[in-house]
Structures are given as structure tokens and as C-alpha cells.
Amino acid sequence: MASVTQLGYLGLSVGNVDEWERFATQVLGLQSNGRDADGSLFLRMDEYHHRFTVHPTAKDDIAYLGWEVSTEQAMQTLATQLTTAGVAVQPGTAAEAEARRVAGLIKCTDPSGIATEIFYGPLVTYERPFQSPRPISGFKTAGQGLGHFVIFVNDFEQSLNFYREALGMRISDFVNFSPAPGVTLRVAFFHCNPRHHSIAFIQMPQAPKRLHHFMLQANSLDDVGSTYYLCQAQHVPIVMNLGKHTNDHMVSFYLKTPSGFAAEYGWGAREVDDATWQVQVHSAGSMWGHQGQL
Ligand code: FE
């Protein structure tokens, strides 16, 4: 089965791009790469021209996500796989590819209506290395993509089929937890490279936002610690305290973005080797910590 290779980029629709630029650069430590003609802000975290595009379209939610493949041929193979799975696929225009700074893309929607793009050929700028505005060591993206994100979906089984059968991703594990007596939620985690998960989802059709959080993985525990205390000093709301997850073993905390959804700032996740990985089930999200309510 053909598979996407990494989460390449995320598009966010936000109410206040200026506030996002300050937050992303001064708190998260991302690097601004300027604005497009329509006012959209590009944010870097590695050699890619951008990993986030922040659009002034005021939904304060995910706008689209971009899954990378290695070549144009791989993109066409995936288009065929999507079509076979009953997903309508549209070719991206040259103008759309230019806007995303990629060589080419195709477009579809996931079963919850989230705009999904599959692209190849990102613009990379080795001649202008990523430089964080904050004194941090940087982000782990090589071979693993941007990070991960968690969304609320309308239908668990339909989403499972889409991400597994159409995009070719593999299940890492499930976390079943009970936020209230008599209520059980099931979270499914998927990988497409050694990163434990690039996407996870929870069935919650009534959720006011699709995006629950995105995760950035720092290169050092010091980066997580210094960012944690920077949030406290600058009164950036922390929605879950430091903790360690059961499934990916990430040490992280969650802070509130200007759009209301959270950003997870983590370090030290274990990696998946498809040759030996076995799907697991967890009944708790964290080994320790992560106190708070997302
Ligand atoms: Fe996470």
C-alpha cells in the first residue's frame, strides 16, 4: 500500500495574525518567513520555506493539512489509491502549488470535511538556515515531519478507513479513557514514519473546533523547560502541566494558542519501527503529570 511520508505543513485560519506572529516567534520559537500577498503569515521550524501558514480568515481552527510524498509519481499513485477508496480527488492548480511553495499537489477532504492536500517537492532553503528568535536548540523534523496534530472527527470508523486505507498510514495504538463516569472516549494514533504519531483523532462531531492541538518536538528537554517557565513568566495560559505520555513517551506540556486550541511542546518521544512495532492499547494518556483540562 502506498503511504504519505510525513506531515509536511499545516494551514491555520486565525482571527489575529499579528498576535499569532508574536506568539509563534516569541513563545514557540518559530521563525517568521514573512507574509504572502493575501496577508498570510509563513512560519519556519527547519529548512522548509514554512511549516505553518497562518491565514487571516478568522475561523480559529485548522484550515488544511498537507501530507508529503517523495515524488510526483508517488503522488499519482496515492491519487489512484484515494480514488479506489472512494475519495474524490482534485488536481491542485499551478497557482495553488505556488501559494504552498511546492512543486505539485492534489486535494481531497477527509471524512469530517477537513481540507487535505498531498504534495511533493517542498521549497527548502538550506542557504538560509532556520534560526529561532529564542535561544532554543530547534525542532526534530528530519524524516518525521512537522510534528503531530489531534482532531475531533465525525465518525471514528470512517476516519480510520480514510487515514489507514486511503492515505496508507499505520495504527500505532489506541488510548481509551473516561473523562466522566459512564463516558468512554477512544483515541486512535497513526504513524507514517518513525514519529510515533503524525495524527490522532477522537470521535466528537459536536466539538466547536476540529483542531484539538498540534505538537512541536524540541531537540532538547531544556527547550521544553525554558518554554514552560517562559509561559509562566509571560502569563501564557498553560492548559496541561508537564507530564509524560503513555503511548509516545513524550515529555511535554500544553499551552493555549491565541486561537483557543492548544499547542503541545514536547521532547524525547520514542520512535516506531514498522518491522517490530506492535499495536497497543492504553487506558490512560499519561504516566505522570499532565494535570489540567484541555
Ligand atoms: Fe499530542
Side-chain angles (χ1 to χ4, degrees):
M1 177 174 284
S3 170
V4 296
T5 57
Q6 62 165 277
L7 176 61
Y9 56 75
L10 272 184
L12 301 175
S13 169
V14 313
N16 189 329
V17 175
D18 291 337
E19 192 182 358
W20 256 94
E21 183 163 24
R22 192 203 63 76
F23 168 79
T25 56
Q26 300 309 310
V27 180
L28 298 179
L30 300 176
Q31 181 183 10
S32 173
N33 201 10
R35 301 204 186 186
D36 220 346
D38 65 357
S40 300
L41 167 70
F42 294 118
L43 294 166
R44 298 184 69 191
M45 58 189 297
D46 59 8
E47 71 275 13
Y48 280 44
H49 174 270
H50 66 277
R51 288 288 195 171
F52 288 87
T53 310
V54 178
H55 300 277
T57 44
K59 285 199 307 182
D60 285 315
D61 203 350
I62 192 168
Y64 53 83
L65 47 105
W67 296 106
E68 187 167 343
V69 293
S70 52
T71 61
E72 181 172 17
Q73 189 181 35
M75 187 176 77
Q76 296 309 336
T77 301
L78 211 60
T80 303
Q81 185 167 290
L82 282 157
T83 306
T84 304
V87 179
V89 178
Q90 284 183 299
T93 65
E96 287 167 335
E98 170 56 27
R100 299 286 190 262
R101 308 300 195 268
V102 299
L105 76 156
I106 57 173
K107 305 188 298 178
C108 62
T109 56
D110 96 334
S112 300
I114 297 171
T116 299
E117 301 172 356
I118 293 117
F119 73 95
Y120 78 99
L123 175 62
V124 295
T125 54
Y126 288 114
E127 70 280 16
R128 281 193 303 128
F130 167 71
Q131 203 163 16
S132 176
R134 286 194 47 225
I136 57 171
S137 61
F139 299 100
K140 189 173 182 66
T141 58
Q144 299 196 11
L146 179 159
H148 73 233
F149 66 103
V150 177
I151 49 172
F152 297 113
V153 300
N154 291 343
D155 185 282
F156 194 90
E157 292 302 324
Q158 282 181 16
S159 296
L160 195 139
N161 283 336
F162 177 79
Y163 286 100
R164 187 173 56 181
E165 312 303 332
L167 290 186
M169 301 182 73
R170 282 82 70 195
I171 293 175
S172 307
D173 41 41
F174 300 99
V175 176
N176 304 322
F177 68 103
S178 183
V183 181
T184 300
L185 290 177
R186 191 177 190 212
V187 194
F189 296 78
F190 295 80
H191 65 272
C192 55
N193 57 47
R195 187 181 297 288
H196 174 276
H197 58 283
S198 292
I199 177 175
F201 58 72
I202 309 166
Q203 179 172 305
M204 200 178 287
Q206 73 280 18
K209 290 182 196 297
R210 285 294 173 195
L211 185 57
H212 179 266
H213 72 269
F214 63 80
M215 187 285 304
L216 306 179
Q217 184 168 344
N219 284 331
S220 96
L221 180 58
D222 294 337
D223 296 340
V224 176
S226 67
T227 306
Y228 183 74
Y229 281 96
L230 180 136
C231 288
Q232 297 198 345
Q234 298 193 0
H235 306 291
V236 176
I238 290 173
V239 287
M240 285 214 304
N241 276 310
L242 272 174
K244 184 170 184 175
H245 280 304
T246 49
N247 61 348
D248 65 359
H249 296 185
M250 182 91 73
V251 174
S252 63
F253 73 99
Y254 292 70
L255 59 159
K256 194 175 182 180
T257 72
S259 291
F261 51 76
E264 179 182 8
Y265 213 82
W267 167 82
R270 65 171 167 165
E271 297 179 356
V272 170
D273 177 354
D274 275 313
T276 55
W277 185 260
Q278 299 186 79
V279 173
Q280 298 182 325
V281 175
H282 304 275
S283 59
S286 305
M287 301 182 205
W288 52 265
H290 283 147
Q291 282 102 359
Q293 189 84 46
L294 273 176

